[in-house]
Amino acid sequence: MQDNLVIVESPAKAKTIEKFLGKDYKVMSSYGHIRDLKKKEISIDLKTLEPEYEIPEDKRKVVSELKANAKKAKKVWLASDEDREGEAISWHLCEVLGLDEKSTNRIVFHEITKPAILAAIENPRHLDMNLANAQQARRMLDRLVGFSLSPVLWRKVKPSLSAGRVQSVAVRLIVEREREIQAFKAEPYFRVTAVFTVDGQEMKAELDHRFSTHEEALAFLEQCKDALFTIEQIQKKPLKRSPAVPFTTSTLQQEAARKLGFTVSQTMMVAQRLYEAGHITYMRTDSVNLSSLCISTAKEAVVSLYGEEYSKPRNFTTHTKGAQEAHEAIRPTYMSNQQIEGTSQERRLYDLIWKRTAASQMADAQLEKTTVVISIDKGENRFVATGEVVKFDGFLKVYRESTGDDEELHTDDGMLPQGLKEGMQLDRKEIVATERYSQGPARYTEASLVHKMEELGIGRPSTYAPTISTIQQREYVVKGDRKGEERPYTIDTLSGQKVSTKTKKEMAGSEKGKLLPTDVGTVVNDFLMEYFPTIMDYNFTANVEQDFDAIAEGKEDWHKMLKNFYGDFEPTVEKTIKTRSEHKAGERILGDDPKTGKPVAVKIGRYGPVVQIGTADDDEKPRFAQMPKDKSIETITLEEALELFRLPREVGEYEGEVVTIGTGRFGPYVLHKKKFVSIPKTQDPLTITLEEAVALINDSRKVEEQRHLKTFDEDPKLEVMNGRYGPYIAYDGKNYRLPKAMHPKAAELTYEECMKIVKK
């Protein structure tokens, strides 16, 4: 009989903990939740608002193994994570394994180290139903919203869509930002910089005024031709920079995105592995405090690595709106480990966490900022030159927080020339007026979206990553690159007594890896904003989070909260389903087709956005064209829409069959004998000739022939194919891998040899 059974969430964690507890303890994993709401149905009794849980098919084996071991054990310890999700897992385990909630030991820890695990075993507690109920309330509220809204979207927008409470609000942020960008008109202005010389040393300065027209900028350069430039004032000011606070879930996601290029879900996956291996504390937290143990070990590490003057122990307190769980910040479990063994991603993320934690316990950086004001005898404006000298680097020795704007400090000492004095006259080398444009709002990255959600109080550490993944999986939002538009700008340079003007070109508005709303995402957002404004309200979403916090603290009853919510929400759903509207959601009339006089509209069709000529009431059927990937329902013009109907066009016959050029969701194609061949980007589908189309058809056939290595008269369902990763057997709709040794002779395989592999 086993004395002790410890149940944790993940096998990796089980392995680490088993090392610490010794032979009297058996550690098993529940592999996350063992029970959940049913997948295919709402799984909530709508009269009583009681959940209907089931053990999913793939968890039955785990559950029976846990049951058998729990029966044999004298004592069961529930050791799932220390947050609401973890508490709910422990409660489900009690229910399913038939454990007595009042006497089962619940242990919690936020780092997987021997001292932490042994301390938890010394101080067990009982199940906290307030935390478990907060998780149940979130799960059920989200299920009520998703299952009620999705059928409304199927009817009113497009089949097989789905809606989520936090996801819909995240999409709203992205749609609204996109509209701000579309509405923004960039205004040009002229920025003036100068290079002066002092005893052979160069000094750069910028004018304290920006001109709004080219004429003003040129007039100013004319003035400067014979002007005198004098140092009017030199100001020296000590500056202090303090380190950033230790990492929370959201700041780690943001910083790993900026510095390591990780996606939000990648950061969480790598952090989870670091936590389970015992390298860092729990990775879902919105607390910035550090334990006294960490503060003292960080001090030892800083002093031994950098010296006494670099150490400055600090305590941090959390101010996040609705911060939950009395956790610590994300920090290394042992500050003495500057590096760890692991994959390159694990090492890089650990390094970031170690440096951020160490920096938070280090002295401020001491800088000196010098500002030099240069007067011009011909006018009011001044040039200003600045230099920053680091007197003591302090925490900067280890870590710089990336702000996204001014990433690096100017730390080169010689930024301003030596020997500058007030009243000194300067020699002008050149003055340059450069045309610039006002910057519109920026699209969100995954990291900046997390930052915005945290600022608004929507979502919690455990929900940021899944929310961002879900809106992309549902194709309401894509992470994409926007091609910018080329625009000219002028540069006027005064050198000697001559002003020269040249025009350059730049790409404006090109962005990489930003979150863009799709047409479907935009239409769903507008529909929900019109009919379900409460669900889409930022304050409402933040208040719901506060309700969950109140349930977790035992200050609010979860049943009552759900009843209040559903009582208001359900009638709105009913009313919306019954409303009849003139137009389909998202439909936009662009104008009339000059050839037929019929209306041209854009809308969401069954398979995505389409352009339509004519209406369903006409005698003739309406004509449709798929919206190309680079166009949007919001911005497409009538001319661009009509262009799509120039295709399909017939270009002639080949082998007695018509050759058609068309375009679809994935771009232009040649259609011949029911086979589609993509047209490369270098060729224009509107001008392609029959000869060019035939060449593409024949090239495609050659590629296809090379794919089919061998067919068999004995059985037409059997074929040896050549694939991306080498030869394989295709039989009756399924593929079978060939052993590497057979690759060179794949085309010579006999029918019997192939069938042997299939049967195996």
Side-chain angles (χ1 to χ4, degrees), residues 577-621:
I577 274 201
K578 286 176 185 148
T579 48
R580 297 186 72 85
S581 53
E582 280 290 293
H583 289 295
K584 198 162 178 283
E587 189 170 346
R588 188 165 80 88
I589 307 289
L590 302 180
D592 292 330
D593 173 20
K595 282 185 192 161
T596 61
K598 289 180 177 177
V600 181
V602 281
K603 64 179 188 186
I604 302 293
R606 197 176 177 84
Y607 303 108
V610 292
V611 182
Q612 173 178 330
I613 296 181
T615 64
D617 312 332
D618 293 349
D619 299 337
E620 277 179 76
K621 267 169 95 179

Side-chain angles (χ1 to χ4, degrees), residues 242-256:
S242 297
V245 297
F247 280 132
T248 61
T249 302
S250 82
T251 53
L252 177 67
Q253 288 169 351
Q254 291 164 54
E255 200 71 341

Side-chain angles (χ1 to χ4, degrees), residues 392-407:
F392 172 62
D393 55 0
F395 76 93
L396 292 176
K397 199 170 199 68
V398 176
Y399 186 85
R400 287 160 191 240
E401 187 182 14
S402 55
T403 57
D405 316 319
D406 179 18
E407 293 267 320

Side-chain angles (χ1 to χ4, degrees), residues 20-44:
F20 303 139
L21 288 175
K23 61 181 188 323
D24 294 340
Y25 290 82
K26 178 170 185 165
V27 186
M28 289 181 76
S29 163
S30 71
Y31 293 84
H33 276 280
I34 57 160
R35 205 167 68 146
D36 198 3
L37 299 172
K38 294 169 194 168
K39 263 214 162 79
K40 297 273 193 266
E41 52 192 85
I42 193 157
S43 202
I44 296 167

Side-chain angles (χ1 to χ4, degrees), residues 132-387:
N133 288 338
Q135 188 274 343
Q136 284 198 85
R138 176 192 287 282
R139 186 82 187 86
M140 287 169 65
L141 188 75
D142 287 349
R143 177 57 71 96
L144 288 168
V145 171
F147 265 68
S148 305
L149 287 187
S150 300
V152 181
L153 294 177
W154 303 341
R155 280 199 200 178
K156 303 286 182 182
V157 183
K158 173 180 177 280
S160 75
L161 291 176
S162 53
R165 185 179 59 85
V166 182
Q167 293 95 313
S168 300
V169 180
V171 174
R172 177 185 169 188
L173 281 168
I174 292 163
V175 170
E176 285 181 351
R177 178 58 56 90
E178 194 62 30
R179 288 195 170 136
E180 284 169 33
I181 291 165
Q182 300 300 345
F184 179 79
K185 294 275 176 282
E187 297 289 336
Y189 64 87
F190 288 79
R191 177 182 165 204
V192 181
T193 55
V195 179
F196 299 106
T197 52
V198 184
D199 300 334
Q201 300 173 79
E202 287 193 353
M203 175 167 75
K204 289 181 179 161
E206 184 170 346
L207 195 70
D208 63 1
H209 176 76
R210 289 174 171 185
F211 299 107
S212 46
T213 67
H214 193 200
E215 292 69 38
E216 288 174 314
L218 286 172
F220 174 75
L221 292 181
E222 283 298 326
Q223 262 183 11
C224 289
K225 279 184 178 173
D226 46 10
L228 292 174
F229 301 94
T230 313
I231 295 180
E232 186 180 294
Q233 190 185 34
I234 299 174
Q235 262 184 341
K236 290 195 177 201
K237 204 161 109 192
L239 272 188
K240 185 179 83 170
R241 297 246 164 126
S242 297
V245 297
F247 280 132
T248 61
T249 302
S250 82
T251 53
L252 177 67
Q253 288 169 351
Q254 291 164 54
E255 200 71 341
R258 290 192 201 113
K259 289 199 161 161
L260 310 177
F262 285 9
T263 64
V264 167
S265 56
Q266 190 181 6
T267 299
M268 291 315 282
M269 204 170 61
V270 177
Q272 174 111 26
R273 293 205 296 264
L274 291 173
Y275 165 66
E276 289 176 349
H279 294 312
I280 62 168
T281 52
Y282 192 51
M283 66 286 150
R284 291 195 184 98
T285 174
D286 39 23
S287 163
V288 292
N289 83 20
L290 296 173
S291 66
S292 49
L293 177 73
C294 172
I295 291 172
S296 63
T297 54
K299 180 176 180 171
E300 285 167 26
V302 169
V303 170
S304 73
L305 286 165
Y306 311 111
E308 192 74 53
E309 72 276 23
Y310 279 92
S311 168
K312 181 181 177 180
R314 289 179 171 86
N315 247 322
F316 298 95
T317 48
T318 304
H319 299 297
T320 317
K321 184 162 141 186
Q324 69 183 56
E325 297 15 311
H327 282 164
E328 276 191 79
I330 302 170
R331 61 159 177 87
T333 45
Y334 301 105
M335 284 303 291
S336 51
N337 294 349
Q338 226 183 321
Q339 271 129 10
I340 55 152
E341 292 295 308
T343 64
S344 117
Q345 288 186 347
E346 286 162 9
R347 291 200 307 271
R348 289 171 72 209
L349 192 65
Y350 180 83
D351 180 60
L352 192 69
I353 294 167
W354 189 92
K355 284 177 171 165
R356 174 86 162 216
T357 312
S360 79
Q361 299 302 306
M362 288 173 74
D364 295 332
Q366 305 294 337
L367 304 116
E368 185 179 70
K369 184 176 184 177
T370 307
T371 306
V372 180
V373 180
I374 301 154
S375 65
I376 311 163
D377 67 342
K378 298 259 175 116
E380 300 291 299
N381 298 319
R382 309 265 185 280
F383 277 103
V384 179
T386 56

